[in-house]
């Protein structure tokens, strides 16, 4: 959560540098006016280096990142794209925007994609899998990648919540074929709005770069209006101000994740003897600890936990209060999803519904309440022992 908590003089210095030296807010062209200042390009290069991949493409949001990733994979009308029941609506919106059919798996106690259900849902129309590291805990990537590879299906990691995390020492977002990130204001690093896509494959990167820019196959040798094009596209370009802020935020990413993890571990320790089950972290996980989720014995108990946490001035994050934006079983405003699930979403994902109904998500920040672990323990003890 706390990218915005650490916004300070470094972000301001990057913006000041942009305005002092260049004043060009568009990522391309105007070369004679910009004094070699290319903030978005510099941000992409720094992000690719941090994530140890050859290519990164900055875009306007995490939703745009998913849409562009699907375009790079040539996802077309009638193709099926599989994702998980617990995610933000954006993941499924990107599939629908690509005119593909969203297919949804159950989650397991990691609260991410259940690999066994993934295997069941693959058909010969499946053209991509989007696994989500919800609230900063890595999905079971080893199993999921093995399944994807066995079927020859590309794997996209929706890393909106997982930026700065690892799985088996590999940065989240780079385990599969394409990784997407969000830098909206609630994320571990933020550019206000914004996103990034990372690629190992140069061709996928080139297709995405063109598609996010009306099809421009950018060639620095020619003026922009002479660019060649091989496909249609759209406009999801990041601007220079976002790039400038991103450069400063990226330098703070490891600090933010370390502080979040420290605070999450303190809470975990203080509530370890309470009758709850902490969400499963797969072996090999290095989570971003954006939130700490635990599972209670009933929805009533989860709601009481929320009430008690509000009383101490903390509240909860997504679970249980905002489940309707994050659980596919409630998205009856999406006809594509309803149709696919025989007209009734309420019964489509029973295992996920049961887990999510009983879950409580503690928001983790850098600057927590004074004596937060003691207050949280007291608040939860009163509810869980009643
Ligand atoms: C899992 C997931 N994917 C994608 C997005 C979309 O990101 P953005 O808000 O930058 O469009 C979000 C946003 O919260 C998200 O939680």
């Amino acid at each position: 959560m706390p990218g915005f908590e650490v916004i300070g003089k470094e972000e301001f210095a990057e913006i000041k540098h942009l305005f002092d030296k260049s004043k060009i807010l568009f990522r391309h062209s105007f070369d004679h006016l910009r004094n070699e200042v290319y903030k978005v390009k510099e941000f992409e290069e720094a992000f690719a280096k941090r994530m140890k991949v050859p290519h990164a493409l900055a875009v306007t949001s995490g939703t745009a990142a998913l849409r562009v990733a699907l375009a790079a994979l040539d996802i077309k009308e009638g193709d099926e794209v599989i994702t998980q029941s617990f995610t933000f609506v954006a993941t499924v919106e990107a599939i629908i925007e690509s005119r593909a059919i969203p297919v949804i798996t159950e989650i397991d106690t990691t609260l991410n994609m259940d690999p066994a259900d993934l295997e069941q849902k693959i058909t010969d129309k499946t053209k991509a899998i989007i696994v989500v590291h919800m609230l900063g805990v890595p999905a079971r990537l080893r199993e999921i990648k093995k399944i994807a590879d066995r079927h020859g299906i590309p794997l996209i990691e929706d890393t909106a919540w997982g930026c700065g995390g690892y799985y088996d020492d590999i940065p989240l977002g780079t385990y599969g074929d394409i990784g997407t990130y969000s830098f909206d204001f609630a994320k571990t690093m933020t550019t206000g709005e914004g996103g990034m896509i990372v690629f190992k494959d140069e061709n996928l990167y080139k297709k995405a770069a063109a598609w996010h820019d009306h099809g421009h196959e950018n060639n620095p040798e020619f003026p922009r209006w002479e660019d060649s094009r091989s496909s249609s596209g759209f406009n999801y370009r990041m601007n220079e101000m976002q790039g400038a802020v991103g450069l400063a935020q990226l330098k703070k990413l490891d600090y933010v994740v370390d502080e979040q993890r420290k605070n999450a571990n303190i809470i975990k320790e203080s509530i370890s003897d309470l009758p709850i089950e902490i969400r499963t972290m797969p072996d090999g996980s290095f989570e971003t600890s954006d939130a700490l989720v635990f599972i209670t014995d009933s929805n009533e108990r989860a709601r009481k936990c929320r009430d008690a946490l509000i009383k101490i001035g903390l509240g909860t994050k997504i679970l249980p209060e905002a489940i309707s934006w994050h659980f596919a079983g409630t998205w009856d405003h999406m006809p594509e999803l309803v149709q696919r699930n025989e007209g009734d979403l309420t019964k489509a994902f029973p295992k996920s519904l049961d887990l999510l109904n009983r879950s409580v998500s503690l928001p983790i920040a850098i600057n927590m309440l004074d004596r937060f672990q003691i207050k949280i323990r007291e608040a939860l003890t009163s509810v869980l022992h009643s």
Side-chain angles (χ1 to χ4, degrees):
M1 178 159 85
F4 71 82
E5 278 188 279
V6 295
I7 290 176
K9 59 182 188 327
E10 298 78 9
E11 286 75 3
F12 181 66
E14 283 289 352
I15 290 282
K16 186 169 182 317
H17 179 257
L18 171 66
F19 279 84
D20 283 350
K21 293 273 176 203
S22 156
K23 295 190 184 62
I24 303 300
L25 305 184
F26 185 52
R27 67 162 299 165
H28 295 296
S29 310
F30 302 96
D31 299 328
H32 60 297
L33 294 174
R34 59 195 307 156
N35 272 322
E36 300 292 315
V37 176
Y38 295 88
K39 294 291 184 188
V40 174
K41 188 164 180 290
E42 199 183 334
F43 180 33
E44 289 171 341
E45 286 166 3
F47 197 86
K49 191 168 173 208
R50 166 64 180 77
M51 297 303 167
K52 303 188 174 73
V53 284
H55 308 286
L57 177 71
V59 290
T60 45
S61 70
T63 313
L66 288 161
R67 177 66 190 92
V68 175
L70 291 171
L73 292 171
D74 285 330
I75 299 300
K76 293 186 192 64
E77 186 161 10
D79 290 345
E80 292 176 4
V81 177
I82 302 182
T83 190
Q84 62 198 50
S85 64
F86 182 41
T87 183
F88 183 51
V89 278
T91 319
V92 172
E93 285 169 341
I95 298 170
I96 292 171
E97 273 298 300
S98 311
R99 300 195 296 157
I101 300 162
V103 176
I104 308 292
T105 73
E106 294 272 22
I107 52 169
D108 61 20
T109 56
T110 62
L111 303 191
N112 288 322
M113 187 176 279
D114 176 351
D117 199 36
L118 168 63
E119 185 89 62
Q120 299 280 321
K121 300 240 155 104
I122 290 174
T123 72
D124 53 9
K125 290 189 182 157
T126 308
K127 294 295 181 295
I129 296 165
I130 307 179
V131 64
V132 188
H133 308 299
M134 252 328 245
L135 291 167
V137 170
R140 295 188 193 277
L141 282 174
R142 229 174 287 142
E143 291 102 308
I144 290 167
K145 178 88 168 73
K146 225 182 257 172
I147 295 168
D149 285 351
R150 186 154 24 86
H151 291 271
I153 302 168
L155 180 64
I156 299 174
E157 290 174 70
D158 180 341
T159 320
W161 297 104
C163 187
Y166 294 83
Y167 181 81
D168 283 352
D169 295 328
I170 295 169
L172 292 183
T174 71
Y175 200 94
D177 300 283
I178 301 181
T180 65
Y181 303 80
S182 162
F183 306 137
D184 75 26
F185 206 58
K187 297 302 186 291
T188 312
M189 55 176 280
T190 183
T191 55
E193 296 276 8
M196 192 70 83
I197 319 170
V198 295
F199 309 83
K200 293 171 202 156
D201 180 275
E202 186 171 7
N203 273 332
L204 286 179
Y205 162 70
K206 282 185 171 166
K207 270 163 94 173
W211 200 87
H212 103 295
D213 185 18
H214 303 295
H216 274 273
E217 293 171 328
N218 249 285
N219 187 335
E221 309 285 310
F222 303 121
R224 193 165 155 76
W225 63 88
E226 285 182 23
D227 277 341
S228 58
R229 52 188 180 264
S230 315
S231 75
S232 170
F234 218 72
N235 174 7
Y236 289 118
R237 291 183 303 258
M238 181 178 267
N239 73 49
E240 290 288 279
M241 291 181 288
Q242 293 168 302
V245 173
L247 276 167
Q249 283 270 301
L250 181 61
K251 292 191 183 127
K252 300 178 182 181
L253 176 62
D254 291 332
Y255 167 76
V256 170
V257 170
D258 285 350
E259 291 300 299
Q260 290 185 157
R261 287 171 58 84
K262 227 184 275 171
N263 287 341
N265 284 333
I266 291 171
I267 298 171
K268 237 192 261 179
E269 179 91 356
S270 84
I271 61 174
S272 62
D273 60 332
L274 296 181
I276 50 175
E277 183 191 340
I278 301 274
R279 166 189 196 184
T280 306
M281 319 277 166
D283 288 346
S285 290
F286 181 95
E287 61 275 8
T288 62
S289 297
D290 179 88
L292 179 66
V293 184
F294 62 83
I295 303 168
T296 68
D297 61 353
S298 68
N299 180 246
E300 192 191 347
R301 186 94 63 187
R303 291 191 172 273
K304 283 187 180 162
C305 287
R306 170 168 158 76
D307 294 343
L309 291 163
I310 288 173
K311 274 197 195 131
I312 60 163
L314 186 73
T316 46
K317 179 174 187 174
I318 295 180
L319 298 169
E321 82 283 6
I323 190 175
S324 72
W325 284 97
H326 298 88
F327 173 48
T330 66
W331 298 340
D332 51 13
H333 65 296
M334 293 176 160
E336 299 82 355
L337 205 58
V338 176
Q339 245 169 38
R340 175 77 193 183
N341 291 281
E342 290 151 13
D344 185 4
L345 288 177
T346 59
K347 297 194 187 74
F349 316 109
K351 186 174 157 192
S352 308
L353 179 63
D354 173 53
L355 282 167
L356 294 173
N357 257 340
R358 295 187 286 120
S359 293
V360 179
S361 169
L362 291 167
I364 307 292
I366 294 176
N367 302 305
M368 299 286 290
L369 295 171
D370 186 34
R371 297 169 57 247
F372 61 93
Q373 73 276 36
I374 297 168
K375 288 180 184 162
I376 291 170
R377 185 188 161 76
E378 281 172 5
L380 295 180
T381 302
S382 65
V383 174
L384 292 165
H385 286 316
S386 67

